[in-house]
Amino acid sequence: MTARRAWRAALLLLGAAGLGAAWLWAHLPELVRDRATAALAARGVTATFDDVLFDGPTRVVLRGVAGHGRGLRFQARQISARVDWWARRPAAVHIDGLRVQPEAGLAPRIAAPDVAGERRTAGPRFPVTFSDLQADLRLGRSRLKGAARQARLADGALTVDGLHATGILGGRVSLQVRGGTLQADLAGQRVTVDAVDVGWPLQQRVLQAWVQRSPGVWTAGGRPAGLGGQVQATVVGDLARPALVTAEGHGLGAASLLQWARSHRRALPALDGLDAELDVALAVVDPRGEAPVAHATGALRGHLDHPRVAPGPVDVGVTAEAVVARDPATGALDAQVRLSREQASGHVDLHLDGLDRAATLALTATLDPLPCQAAYDAIPKGLLGPYGGARLTGTFAPWVQLTLPLDDPRRLRLRWRGVEGACPMIALGAAVPAQVDAARGDLHDVDWLLHPFQRAVPEASRPLTVGPGHASYVPLSRLPAYVPAVMYLSEDPAFFRHGGVSGHLIQRALMLDLAEGRFVYGGSTLPQQLVKNLFLDRGKTLARKLQEALLAARVADVVPKARILELYLNCIEFAPDVYGIERAAQHYFGVPAARLTPKQAVFLATAKPSPRYAEQLRRRGATPDTAHYRTYMARLFDRLVGAGALTPDQVAAARPFRIEWR
């Protein structure tokens, strides 16, 4: 009897357990739904589920998931969870077909909350994986829209593969990711992407880009493709109106950076052959405000090998520091720039009184006083060529001021002091040019210009020589006074007053070249033209122009002006393969130079700047019969009268100023 009761009791218990299990199995989906809904609600998220299924004893499947919270709306085709029933929480979760977008009128809250003054570990305490993920997120004026093949969230870190996304930061900077990989540290709020295409204003592909957020601060960085090195930028405050923006770059390829800059502003020069690295740092206070202030520092190291600069590589190492500010009342920009190279340093003050085309740029540059030799040695040796060993004395502390109306470069004004005569050259430190056959082999520096010599003309199509050692050489004493006079009055009226270089001619060159937007006039004095013909080649490079100015100053210091003028007359080109005043007189008029008339002499003066055009006029049979040409000729005749080389009666006898060849 006792055994039978025991069996009945056991059967009743088993039945009750079975009924309980059946009831639990029938109601477990509802319990799971309620538990999941409650857990999400505790975190500020409202969710609904179309269906709850069990796939085995530990796997729960939620289908047709939809919800909203924390500023976001979301949907998912299916959420699968492996449940640890003893711990009463998921052990792993997989979400398929997740779609996320902002909730209307709300901003998403993505930061992990602070608890007792410390940041809690971000993300769930179990791994979550995703497949077929899409998101459309907005934060202020920033937006990110994209999709990913798969993602994994575990231990406070998010990894996304196959990411395709586009975005706008601060309503201005566009981003694009194509098939990249994203990694995010949710606790540190740092996101790293293997490659991002940054649109306006950078237009640059950034490798291994990253973004990090901390309270009130956004920081981004990466390795720009093609630029080398690394860059980093920080925004303090609201992205749409930051209080401070900083940026820095290290080891950036200067050539690639310039090419990128030219893609935004074509007016910048192209410098092929630039092999240099740049370190730069920039800080801008209140960049979107009415009175932003910027501070920048930079260091450039490397060399430039460009045919318009020098025949070979030129060292371009320099450091710079600049402060730029904008006046909110007038809109004017002011900049103070400090430059340093080796022992030389100085500063440049710039003022731009507006941002329209009618603005005027004012520039003042000064060099800190230093020995002239130290200043000369700071010039890149590639620019000095064979004259890098020159010796100078004195102290160099120049001051230069330039004023340029942007809408009318012809009103440019240039002033300087502390330049001419400040650094006497005591030795050129170079041998006689190879093309020169000096009568005395013991001559050096520029002393050979004071003695007989002959120089071959390599530019001529046939063997030609010029110089006081040649039979065609004509001394000034055998020429009418108006011949040498018109030669310097036509191009260098201040010839007898300057020291080889003319500030007035440099100003005129800047005016004309800027007005035309290209090189049309060099501003060379007679001594500069002479040394170009006797010392240098005809290559149009910055190095040749610098050497030309240095040599002209040395020649003007050693050689008397009358001798310079005499050499000039006998060595310059008047027509193709026609060099020197004697050959020119015979070529154009069939007379010796001593018998040139005033009108013929004035024509030869006009032939110097463009010998080929003058030869075309001779072949046509007459000079132009235009008001411009007549005015130009009359101006030269007036200068001759003013210099005392002609009388008004001689000018009247020369009219009309037109020349005809029969």
Side-chain angles (χ1 to χ4, degrees), residues 36 86 96 113 145 240 303 372 429 621:
W86 292 107
D96 179 52
K145 183 177 182 180
H303 66 269
C372 289

Side-chain angles (χ1 to χ4, degrees), residues 203-502:
Q203 299 293 342
Q204 178 65 227
R205 184 168 179 81
V206 181
L207 306 178
Q208 295 181 352
W210 56 268
V211 178
Q212 184 168 355
R213 180 176 181 264
S214 57
V217 179
W218 289 84
T219 305
R223 292 191 303 108
L227 295 185
Q230 297 185 1
V231 296
Q232 176 176 309
T234 300
V235 178
V236 179
D238 185 4
L239 283 175
R241 192 178 179 87
L244 173 68
V245 174
T246 67
E248 59 182 83
H250 300 281
L252 302 178
S256 299
L257 192 62
L258 180 60
Q259 184 179 6
W260 165 80
R262 289 190 74 244
S263 68
H264 292 72
R265 194 170 185 84
R266 285 291 176 184
L268 293 173
L271 287 180
D272 298 333
L274 180 60
D275 184 9
E277 287 188 348
L278 176 68
D279 294 337
V280 63
L282 172 68
V284 185
V285 179
D286 194 17
R288 302 292 300 279
E290 295 183 352
V293 177
H295 179 267
T297 60
L300 183 68
R301 53 191 178 274
H303 66 269
L304 173 64
D305 191 355
H306 192 283
R308 298 298 296 272
V309 176
V314 175
D315 177 42
V316 292
V318 66
T319 60
E321 181 177 4
V323 177
V324 183
R326 180 176 178 268
D327 187 332
T330 63
L333 290 178
D334 287 285
Q336 293 81 43
V337 183
R338 183 157 188 84
L339 301 169
S340 301
R341 175 180 167 82
E342 297 185 2
Q343 299 181 51
S345 61
H347 65 272
V348 179
D349 293 329
L350 298 129
H351 175 78
L352 186 64
D353 61 10
L355 298 179
D356 55 15
R357 293 181 60 85
T360 297
L361 173 67
L363 178 151
T364 302
T366 59
L367 187 69
D368 298 339
L370 80 164
C372 289
Q373 189 62 55
Y376 191 81
D377 291 342
I379 300 174
K381 295 298 183 286
L383 293 178
L384 297 174
Y387 307 105
R391 311 307 300 169
L392 294 84
T393 186
T395 300
F396 196 45
W399 173 91
V400 179
Q401 186 179 72
L402 180 145
T403 304
L404 173 63
L406 300 183
D407 62 342
D408 187 7
R410 294 180 183 274
R411 292 192 290 123
L412 177 147
R413 293 295 177 265
L414 176 67
R415 296 191 299 158
W416 66 33
R417 60 173 179 261
V419 178
E420 290 188 73
C423 294
M425 187 179 293
I426 57 178
L428 186 60
V432 177
Q435 301 92 337
V436 174
D437 181 13
R440 289 176 50 183
D442 61 334
L443 299 175
H444 57 88
D445 207 309
V446 298
D447 296 338
W448 55 275
L449 295 175
L450 300 170
H451 300 274
F453 69 87
Q454 292 190 51
R455 185 195 190 278
V457 182
E459 297 84 12
S461 61
R462 56 188 176 87
L464 280 177
T465 58
V466 296
H470 193 271
S472 65
Y473 191 88
V474 183
L476 291 184
S477 59
R478 289 173 48 192
L479 294 171
Y482 52 78
V483 174
V486 75
M487 295 300 163
Y488 78 83
L489 290 172
S490 60
E491 292 191 80
D492 189 4
F495 167 66
F496 284 99
R497 298 192 300 274
H498 62 64
V501 179
S502 168

Side-chain angles (χ1 to χ4, degrees), residues 121-124 126-128 130 151-160 182-188 190:
T121 301
F126 48 84
V128 180
F130 303 83
R152 177 180 173 81
L153 175 62
D155 300 325
L158 173 66
T159 301
V160 181
L182 178 147
Q183 293 181 327
D185 177 358
L186 300 184
R190 179 185 176 99

Side-chain angles (χ1 to χ4, degrees), residues 14 24 27 30 49 87 90 118 129 138 157 170 173 177 199 236 261 302 304 308 412 454 456 515 530 540 567-568 624:
L14 288 174
L24 181 62
H27 290 81
E30 184 177 349
F49 313 96
E118 297 182 359
T129 57
R138 294 181 180 89
V173 181
V177 182
V236 179
L304 173 64
R308 298 298 296 272
L412 177 147
Q454 292 190 51
L530 177 65
K540 292 184 178 181
L567 291 170
Y568 175 79

